[in-house]
């Protein structure tokens, strides 16, 4: 019994959302189906049979009697908010072109305080992190570049190379694929990785490349000398010194620059400047969605599964290149 078997992959409008999740009981059943897609598993004795308690959202193992909730150990554990609010937030993250802000969530889902809406969204973002055992990038090339993001914070006080309080360096790597059909050729983006960094030294940038891309990949950079060491670490390096020539930059590294401009549109357009202390969490959400952008309506189920299973699980077809 999977949710997909009982429901559409994703509600396509508010009426369908409310029909799927009219009350907490329906939410619990939906979450339980994603938590235990092959049926209940007791966390104590691994027993496979349980009875759902009548008055509380708990399953009691027939083997050892342990009572378990579908949300135990997840970011929803002991939440005071109705579960439909959580599912609404996850649904909106899945279906919106960019994202949903805490203010929007508070208003649309009728959450009492801005703080509760903010915390809910940040908890979801925390579990969207790509884990180190995820696939490594390869592609026909991997474009790597850094950019500075400006957020909220006190102006002034410098905290690093060209970095003031309220700004953060991030580094990204984006797969590039060469495509052709007949005489037509074009370049497509594959998957990406992104991290907050505190400096742009060889140790930091080459370390990022090693965590992100398969050895042997062709790595395309803007010729910043800190990348030169990737050759000794087993990569093929194509460095083009750009000297602030933005037109040339778009030709040499089109995909990573597109990635940055979409990311900045999200941060500025939806969140109106963010506290850079939480930059990593916003990057989690952006990257999770970017790497699964081909899933369409199935993204909602993927998000719910990630939140209710609370940790990475290897999912066949997760890589966008193989997910079609
Ligand atoms: Zn048990």
């Amino acid at each position: 019994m999977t949710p997909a078997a009982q429901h559409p992959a994703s509600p396509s409008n508010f009426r369908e959302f409310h029909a799927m999740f009219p009350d907490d009981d329906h939410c619990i059943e939906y979450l339980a189906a994603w938590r235990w897609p092959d049926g209940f598993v007791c966390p104590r004795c691994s027993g496979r049979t349980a009875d759902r308690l009548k008055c509380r959202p708990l399953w009691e193992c027939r083997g050892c009697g342990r009572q378990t909730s579908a949300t135990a150990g997840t970011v929803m554990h002991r939440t005071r908010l109705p579960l439909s609010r959580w599912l609404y937030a996850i649904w909106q993250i899945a279906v919106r072109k960019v994202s949903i802000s805490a203010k929007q969530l508070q208003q649309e889902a009728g959450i009492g305080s801005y703080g509760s809406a903010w915390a809910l969204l940040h908890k979801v973002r925390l579990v969207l992190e790509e884990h180190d055992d995820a696939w490594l990038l390869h592609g026909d090339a991997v474009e790597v570049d850094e950019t500075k993001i400006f957020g909220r914070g006190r102006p002034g006080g410098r905290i690093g190379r060209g970095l003031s309080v309220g700004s953060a360096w991030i580094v990204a790597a984006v797969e590039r694929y060469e495509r052709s059909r007949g005489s037509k050729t074009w370049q497509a983006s594959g998957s990406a990785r992104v991290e907050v960094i505190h400096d742009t030294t060889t140790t930091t940038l080459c370390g990022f490349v090693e965590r992100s891309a398969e050895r042997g990949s062709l790595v395309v950079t803007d010729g910043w000398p800190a990348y030169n060491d990737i050759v000794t670490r087993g990569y093929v390096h194509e460095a083009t010194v750009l000297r602030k020539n933005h037109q040339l930059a778009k030709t040499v590294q089109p995909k990573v620059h597109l990635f940055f401009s979409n990311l900045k549109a999200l941060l500025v357009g939806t969140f109106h400047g963010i506290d850079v202390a939480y930059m990593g969490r916003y990057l989690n959400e952006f990257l999770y969605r970017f790497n699964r952008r081909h899933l369409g309506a199935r993204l909602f189920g993927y998000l719910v599964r990630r939140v209710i299973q609370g940790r990475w699980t290897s999912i066949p077809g997760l890589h966008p290149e193989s997910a079609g």
Side-chain angles (χ1 to χ4, degrees), residues 52-65:
R52 169 92 197 265
L53 299 190
K54 282 206 177 72
C55 326
R56 301 180 62 201
L58 295 171
W59 279 257
E60 187 173 282
C61 174
R62 283 190 195 167
C64 71

Side-chain angles (χ1 to χ4, degrees), residues 75-140:
V75 290
M76 291 186 220
H77 190 43
R78 300 211 169 118
T79 179
R80 291 182 186 171
L81 290 170
L83 293 172
S84 60
R85 305 291 193 277
W86 285 87
L87 286 165
Y88 182 85
I90 295 166
W91 178 51
Q92 288 297 304
I93 288 173
V95 298
R96 283 183 185 235
K97 192 161 194 314
V98 275
S99 188
I100 184 167
S101 69
K103 191 83 200 160
Q104 290 165 329
L105 178 64
Q106 184 196 358
Q107 289 168 349
E108 292 177 17
I111 294 174
S113 76
Y114 174 84
S116 299
W118 187 92
L120 187 165
L121 286 172
H122 275 269
K123 282 181 181 171
V124 172
R125 287 182 186 119
L126 278 173
V127 296
L128 296 185
E129 186 179 2
E130 298 285 18
H131 293 247
D132 286 335
D133 57 355
W135 69 87
L136 290 174
L137 306 178
H138 188 72
D140 293 317

Side-chain angles (χ1 to χ4, degrees), residues 260-289:
F260 282 147
S261 66
N262 288 338
L263 172 62
K264 286 176 180 176
L266 168 80
L267 297 178
V268 174
T270 305
F271 304 119
H272 308 294
I274 60 163
D275 187 334
V276 295
Y278 303 111
M279 180 69 75
R281 300 187 195 169
Y282 292 99
L283 295 184
N284 284 352
E285 179 190 335
F286 182 77
L287 189 66
Y288 185 94
R289 291 156 50 106

